[in-house]
């Protein structure tokens, strides 16, 4: 557990089915990186992706980079943010197909009752994504709150 500070981000958004996420994230991060480069804006951290389930099995996804100050929306790249507050962070360093096990570890910890999830988790890619791969050092970050006794 740790405290996460509020972070302004630059992202690309999309409505997808979960199976598209693996291919979409690297291309979205590449598009945001190119957008920032053309404007002389340096990311302040590693790329990330966050998504929210929608009815009908779709997800609303965003992928991009943290930035020092909020950006103006332009074309396919929009401003967003990651919330401040306590988070549970779990490292995933196995092959991609085993990432569900890391999410199960987060869920198992939450089921102990020590904390409650507050919003959607996100993945931070500590290996810079290529156009076809997000890497193997992935940090899963889940915002949490602590129940009052």
């Amino acid at each position: 557990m740790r405290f996460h500070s509020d972070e302004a981000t630059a992202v690309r958004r999309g409505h997808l089915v979960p199976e598209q996420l693996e291919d979409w994230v690297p291309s979205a991060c590449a598009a945001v990186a190119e957008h920032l480069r053309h404007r002389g804006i340096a990311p302040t951290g590693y790329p990330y992706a966050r998504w929210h389930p929608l009815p009908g099995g779709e997800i609303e996804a965003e992928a991009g980079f943290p930035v020092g100050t909020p950006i103006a929306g332009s074309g396919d790249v929009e401003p967003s943010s990651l919330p401040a507050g306590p988070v549970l962070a779990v490292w995933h360093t196995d092959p991609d197909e085993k990432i569900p096990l890391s999410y199960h570890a987060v869920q198992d910890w939450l089921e102990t009752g020590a904390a409650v999830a507050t919003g959607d988790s996100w993945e931070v890619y500590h290996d810079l994504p290529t156009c076809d791969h997000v890497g193997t050092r992935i940090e899963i970050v889940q915002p949490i709150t602590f129940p009052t006794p």
Side-chain angles (χ1 to χ4, degrees), residues 103-129:
Y103 277 96
H104 288 302
V106 170
Q107 190 59 40
D108 289 347
W109 188 85
L110 290 170
E111 288 175 4
T112 68
V116 177
T118 58
D120 300 320
S121 61
W122 63 89
E123 294 179 356
V124 179
Y125 306 108
H126 290 267
D127 296 323
L128 292 177

Side-chain angles (χ1 to χ4, degrees), residues 1-17:
M1 284 187 299
R2 67 171 192 256
F3 187 85
H4 185 269
S5 298
D6 184 47
E7 278 186 295
T9 62
V11 300
R12 188 169 190 190
R13 289 193 170 98
H15 283 87
L16 316 164
V17 293

Side-chain angles (χ1 to χ4, degrees), residues 9-87:
T9 62
V11 300
R12 188 169 190 190
R13 289 193 170 98
H15 283 87
L16 316 164
V17 293
E19 295 77 28
Q20 294 173 305
L21 199 58
E22 185 178 343
D23 293 331
W24 183 82
V25 168
S27 64
C29 288
V32 173
E34 186 67 12
H35 177 90
L36 294 175
R37 186 183 71 78
H38 279 294
R39 284 156 182 79
I41 301 170
T44 59
Y46 290 101
Y48 81 97
R50 189 176 196 191
W51 52 91
H52 177 75
L54 298 172
E58 290 188 337
I59 56 175
E60 179 180 33
E62 69 177 43
F65 292 85
V67 291
T69 58
I71 65 159
S74 175
D76 289 340
V77 177
E78 304 174 41
S80 190
S81 65
L82 293 172
V87 298

Side-chain angles (χ1 to χ4, degrees), residues 90 92 94-108 123 138 140:
V90 173
H92 172 82
D94 288 327
D96 290 347
E97 64 271 6
K98 292 188 177 184
I99 199 162
L101 298 174
S102 296
Y103 277 96
H104 288 302
V106 170
Q107 190 59 40
D108 289 347
E123 294 179 356
I138 300 169
I140 300 168

